[in-house]
Amino acid sequence: MSEKRKNIRYNTLARARIREVFHEFASLKDIGITGCCIAYAQGVDIQLNTQYKIQIIPEPAAHIGKFELVAEARWIQTREYSCDYGFMIVASPQGKRLQRYVDYLTWRSILL
């Protein structure tokens, strides 16, 4: 979990894809009700303050189907071997799936 935020984010094993910028899946590093972070192995063309549709595929243990988010790119952090992109969630068309996934991650974090 990230402790420096107003709203908790949970580490995840999910995959994420933004088809407009890259057709392959990236790692969803963390997610919460208000935002998420996606890590790509290379830099991709994500523009700050721009909204994107993000497809999320939770890890199989969550027993939750894929869902989509609309999120705005808020920050980019380039590392030696990857690039992290932070997003603020604007809409969750399948809102119940996002909530169920965050609930699952909350439960999992208690067990760890």
Side-chain angles (χ1 to χ4, degrees):
M1 281 185 293
S2 297
E3 301 295 335
K4 298 178 184 177
R5 301 182 178 281
K6 290 180 185 178
N7 297 298
I8 296 174
R9 297 251 190 113
Y10 297 95
N11 294 328
T12 176
L13 301 173
R15 297 181 301 148
R17 176 170 54 189
I18 304 172
R19 289 185 183 169
E20 299 121 279
V21 297
F22 197 68
H23 293 288
E24 299 297 320
F25 282 94
S27 296
L28 181 67
K29 288 183 73 172
D30 63 41
I31 192 167
I33 294 299
T34 60
C36 64
C37 178
I38 298 175
Y40 283 93
Q42 61 196 37
V44 293
D45 188 24
I46 291 178
Q47 302 298 313
L48 293 178
N49 304 313
T50 302
Q51 290 185 8
Y52 296 93
K53 289 183 181 178
I54 304 173
Q55 182 183 32
I56 306 291
I57 299 181
E59 57 268 32
H63 300 291
I64 298 167
K66 65 183 177 182
F67 58 94
E68 196 169 86
L69 302 172
V70 177
E72 183 177 306
R74 301 302 291 237
W75 55 266
I76 299 170
Q77 184 175 30
T78 304
R79 300 179 186 275
E80 190 173 349
Y81 296 106
S82 68
C83 228
D84 294 349
Y85 299 88
F87 292 89
M88 177 183 70
I89 296 173
V90 176
S92 177
Q94 297 102 7
K96 289 183 180 182
R97 288 193 181 171
L98 171 61
Q99 184 61 57
R100 284 183 54 217
Y101 190 47
V102 171
D103 289 346
Y104 163 78
L105 295 171
T106 302
W107 172 80
R108 190 185 73 187
S109 71
I110 293 169
L111 295 178
L112 300 176

